[in-house]
Amino acid sequence: RGVDSVSSLLIRLMLVMVPVVLLINGFTKGDWGGALLFAVTIAVGLTPEMLPVIMTSTLAKGAVSMSKHQVIVKTLGAIQTFGEMDVLCTDKTGTLTEDKIILEKYMNASGEDDDRVLRHAYLNSHFQTGLKNLLDLAVINRAVSNGLANILSVYTRVDEIPFDFSRRRMSVVLQDEGGKRQLVTKGAVDEMLSICSFVEWEGGVMPLTADIEERVRAVYERENADGLRMIAVAQKNEVPSIEVFGVADECDMVLLGFVGFLDPPKESAAAAINALRDHGVRTVVLTGDSEGVAVKVCGKVGVDVDHYLTGKDVEAMDDAELSESVESCSLFAKLAPAQKARVVRALQQNGHTVGYMGDGINDAPPLHQSDVGISVDSAVDIAKETADIILLKKDLMVLEEGVVEGRKTFGNIIKYIKMAASGNFGNMISVIVASLFLPFLPMLPIQILTQNLLCDFSQMGIPFDSVDADYLRKPRKWETRSIKSFIGVMGPLSSVFDILCYAVMWWIMGANSPAHAALFQCGWFVFGTASQVVVIHMIRTAKTPFVHSRAAAPLMLSTALVAVITLVVGFSVLATGLDMTALPLRFAPWLVLLLAGYCLSTQVFKALYIRRFGEWL
């Protein structure tokens, strides 16, 4: 969008420029054919034809650099968005945690160890035919290690009721060798308690009264607060003799107990979150896990947990309330996929550039909603298809390195945009002034196109340029207003020195008649090209060029080569090949003086500009 706005601005300026230059030169020179050719050439020269090349080269270079940091870029345009990102929304499991879930405890409803709970959880996890998640695998591994694998031969699966994110549970209907059926269900504690009418308590089956439920919840909350992810397990034997079952059959269940999983925080997570924070990126955790585990883990890695919201809280809020809450809340727990997407959308509506990192089926909606979707190589297919960027290592530290690389890419694009836009605007002013007062064309079409080609070549090193560390410390966004203000300052400044070059050629070098037009044109050709090469180094950094900030080797080489070619052409017989007269050596001191004055003035204006607008690029 930013590139489109800049391009449309330059096109509007050209639409004004071409007829103005045509009319001025047509009336003042009397050669309408030559004036038309000159006007069209000016339009070609002012076109930022290098913009697609610079954009593509810079993004491609960024993609290669990011690949060295174990980041694969699927969509090139996402690189600059990566650099703009100021809020990262992420799931908890595997990103903040080790992603090595182990079954830590299996207990009955009163909190005592109970192998029967593990056995029923094992039957549920083994016989369900859907995608087995990490929790299922942890249950199966623990059961096998406890010698429970032989019970599988006793049961056959009749049907299942698959997991979904609204019920947050799944069930299987099993039948043993004697023909007895049972429905075995496991899932999130709140959702499981809502379908349980009974509980195994103190050696018997009892109604799940309010008093017992309170005591059951106390067990759950105690373990949950200690960092265990708790899943409830229930079953019932009164199963009808039918072959197809549905959600309605999940009722009047008998609560057996809980299985608790441990997924410890990554040692690198806290450092990564701090590094992102230092680069102006706030981390917001959006998880489907319960608030107890989420608070425990997030607190250990440095995410603010003083205030958190659950899916029920989000559901109860209107858009205005949620928009206000997302600015102060960094932890959202027990969220459904649609609620994750809604939180991301609320952040975007507040003006944030939001990245979302996830790897599960439930992450597809927020990945699609975010400005830049981030997934990992081990993610499910739908997550990888939706994402713009794939991490080969599920680690926020890798992400922080990618953010920095994205900002470098964005910074080099902005350098070219501001350089080209301000230079073109300044050339427009210079051409109009020259057309009004000179009795001949200030430059021939062949000379303009050659100058344009040389300037384009000098900028070929921009994609490989370094970026000041200060620039990388905070997110950067496309600001059309910033580009316009930059054009308004630097464009006229370049025109001032173009006019001073006219004065030197007219009064000092004696190129003040149509007979000496070729000498005048050579002087402006050399100064115009050299000044555009020099200004690359002035604009590329907010600091003092060559002293406090030095361009990368490819940019130094491209600019130096063009500067040498320009001087050789301008001060030798090669100038005749472009219908120019070679410059005398006495012009060299004036050229140095003009360029030095331009550089000094640019540095002064840079300081004033930064003081006024608070930024340079």
Side-chain angles (χ1 to χ4, degrees):
R1 293 190 298 269
V3 174
D4 291 341
S5 62
V6 172
S7 299
S8 63
L9 173 63
L10 293 176
I11 289 172
R12 289 197 299 270
L13 290 174
M14 283 192 296
L15 290 176
V16 174
M17 176 73 171
V18 170
V20 169
V21 171
L22 172 63
L23 293 174
I24 291 175
N25 285 284
F27 282 112
T28 57
K29 281 60 170 191
D31 181 5
W32 286 94
L36 177 60
L37 182 59
F38 180 69
V40 172
T41 306
I42 288 293
V44 173
L46 294 180
T47 302
E49 68 280 345
M50 281 293 290
L51 182 56
V53 176
I54 294 293
M55 282 283 293
T56 304
S57 300
T58 305
L59 292 173
K61 191 266 180 183
V64 172
S65 298
M66 290 173 75
S67 69
K68 297 176 182 178
H69 296 292
Q70 296 183 297
V71 179
I72 297 175
V73 179
K74 288 176 55 184
T75 308
L76 277 182
I79 297 177
Q80 64 188 52
T81 310
F82 211 15
E84 293 178 33
M85 181 177 69
D86 62 336
V87 175
L88 171 67
C89 294
T90 178
D91 192 10
K92 174 184 68 65
T93 304
T95 305
L96 305 182
T97 61
E98 292 288 352
D99 205 12
K100 297 178 181 178
I101 294 178
I102 58 173
L103 197 158
E104 184 74 7
K105 291 184 179 182
Y106 38 93
M107 66 190 76
N108 58 29
S110 59
E112 300 168 341
D113 291 348
D114 192 334
D115 287 340
R116 190 162 175 268
V117 175
L118 174 60
R119 187 175 70 203
H120 281 79
Y122 177 41
L123 292 173
N124 178 282
S125 293
H126 176 81
F127 282 106
Q128 65 105 349
T129 60
L131 180 67
K132 288 179 171 54
N133 59 30
L134 293 174
L135 301 182
D136 291 313
L137 297 176
V139 169
I140 293 171
N141 291 336
R142 184 59 179 270
V144 171
S145 67
N146 281 21
L148 297 179
N150 59 340
I151 68 171
L152 299 178
S153 61
V154 178
Y155 295 93
T156 57
R157 181 176 60 85
V158 177
D159 195 15
E160 67 180 301
I161 308 169
F163 177 88
D164 66 59
F165 293 103
S166 59
R167 290 166 41 249
R168 293 165 58 84
R169 60 181 182 266
M170 71 85 51
S171 302
V172 293
V173 180
L174 304 178
Q175 182 172 300
D176 65 16
E177 294 174 328
K180 176 187 173 183
R181 290 186 171 191
Q182 63 176 320
L183 178 67
V184 183
T185 306
K186 77 175 190 301
V189 174
D190 286 336
E191 286 74 6
M192 289 293 293
L193 287 174
S194 69
I195 62 171
C196 289
S197 301
F198 305 93
V199 59
E200 288 193 354
W201 190 261
E202 297 179 351
V205 177
M206 302 177 60
L208 185 61
T209 63
D211 178 59
I212 294 179
E213 182 175 340
E214 184 178 346
R215 296 165 70 179
V216 169
R217 283 188 177 276
V219 172
Y220 157 66
E221 290 170 359
R222 182 189 69 219
E223 300 294 341
N224 191 243
D226 205 32
L228 288 183
R229 182 175 178 181
M230 302 295 286
I231 299 294
V233 181
Q235 68 93 28
K236 73 174 180 178
N237 296 322
E238 293 76 21
V239 180
S241 298
I242 57 177
E243 300 303 319
V244 178
F245 292 80
V247 175
D249 294 296
E250 295 177 327
C251 64
D252 296 328
M253 304 287 292
V254 179
L255 179 67
L256 300 179
F258 307 102
V259 285
F261 303 88
L262 182 64
D263 188 12
K266 286 182 178 176
E267 293 183 1
S268 63
I273 288 174
N274 287 332
L276 286 169
R277 187 183 297 118
D278 291 342
H279 284 92
V281 180
R282 171 187 163 214
T283 302
V284 177
V285 178
L286 309 181
T287 179
D289 289 353
S290 62
E291 57 268 39
V293 174
V295 168
K296 189 80 172 181
V297 171
C298 292
K300 288 183 178 180
V301 299
V303 175
D304 181 16
V305 295
D306 291 337
H307 171 54
Y308 63 85
L309 295 172
T310 65
K312 290 182 178 178
D313 298 325
V314 172
E315 192 68 28
M317 291 180 177
D318 60 27
D319 289 344
E321 291 172 328
L322 182 60
S323 179
E324 182 179 351
S325 296
V326 294
E327 294 301 319
S328 58
C329 181
S330 296
L331 172 59
F332 295 81
K334 297 191 74 173
L335 293 181
Q339 292 171 333
K340 290 184 178 183
R342 188 179 172 213
V343 172
V344 171
R345 184 163 53 249
L347 286 163
Q348 291 172 319
Q349 290 171 347
N350 286 353
H352 297 289
T353 300
V354 184
Y356 184 85
M357 183 173 177
D359 64 349
I361 297 173
N362 59 329
D363 293 312
L367 280 170
H368 180 73
Q369 176 64 45
S370 64
D371 295 295
V372 54
I374 308 157
S375 192
V376 293
D377 189 42
S378 58
V380 298
D381 289 343
I382 190 172
K384 290 192 287 187
E385 288 295 326
T386 308
D388 303 297
I389 290 174
I390 304 292
L391 306 185
L392 297 181
K393 184 178 179 182
K394 197 171 184 179
D395 191 340
L396 286 180
M397 192 60 78
V398 174
L399 196 62
E400 183 265 341
E401 294 168 348
V403 166
V404 171
E405 194 61 44
R407 291 182 187 173
K408 289 180 182 178
T409 301
F410 183 78
N412 284 331
I413 292 173
I414 287 295
K415 288 177 189 178
Y416 175 78
I417 293 290
K418 290 192 171 183
M419 196 180 303
S422 61
N424 288 352
F425 182 63
N427 285 338
M428 289 172 59
I429 298 174
S430 302
V431 167
I432 290 175
V433 171
S435 299
L436 284 171
F437 297 102
L438 294 179
F440 48 82
L441 293 176
M443 205 179 292
L444 299 179
I446 184 63
Q447 297 159 4
I448 293 174
L449 295 177
T450 302
Q451 184 186 69
N452 195 46
L453 179 63
L454 288 171
C455 291
D456 286 346
F457 184 81
S458 69
Q459 296 162 354
M460 289 294 289
I462 290 178
F464 307 95
D465 192 22
S466 56
V467 178
D468 294 338
D470 293 345
Y471 185 85
L472 303 176
R473 288 177 182 165
K474 65 178 184 179
R476 304 288 175 170
K477 296 185 178 183
W478 284 107
E479 294 286 352
T480 305
R481 183 182 303 175
S482 172
I483 295 174
K484 288 180 179 179
S485 61
F486 192 93
I487 292 173
V489 172
M490 295 305 298
L493 178 63
S494 66
S495 297
V496 168
F497 283 88
D498 282 337
I499 294 170
L500 288 175
C501 179
Y502 298 164
V504 169
M505 296 306 299
W506 186 270
W507 281 296
I508 297 177
M509 305 306 297
N512 49 18
S513 67
H516 298 93
L519 179 62
F520 185 99
Q521 291 160 354
C522 190
W524 192 33
F525 172 87
V526 170
F527 173 74
T529 307
S531 63
Q532 289 192 54
V533 169
V534 168
V535 84
I536 291 175
H537 295 276
M538 306 303 299
I539 288 179
R540 62 166 294 276
T541 176
K543 300 179 180 180
T544 306
F546 306 108
V547 179
H548 299 123
S549 179
R550 186 173 299 174
L555 185 59
M556 292 285 286
L557 178 63
S558 64
T559 52
L561 185 60
V562 169
V564 170
I565 292 174
T566 300
L567 294 176
V568 169
V569 170
F571 286 90
S572 72
V573 295
L574 294 176
T576 57
L578 297 176
D579 295 331
M580 300 185 300
T581 299
L583 290 166
L585 288 178
R586 62 190 180 93
F587 177 70
W590 290 103
L591 176 62
V592 172
L593 184 62
L594 287 171
L595 292 175
Y598 186 30
C599 291
L600 181 62
S601 299
T602 300
Q603 199 64 22
V604 171
F605 272 74
K606 184 191 297 183
L608 296 174
Y609 184 94
I610 294 173
R611 186 181 304 173
R612 169 67 178 82
F613 297 101
E615 64 175 7
W616 178 241
L617 293 176

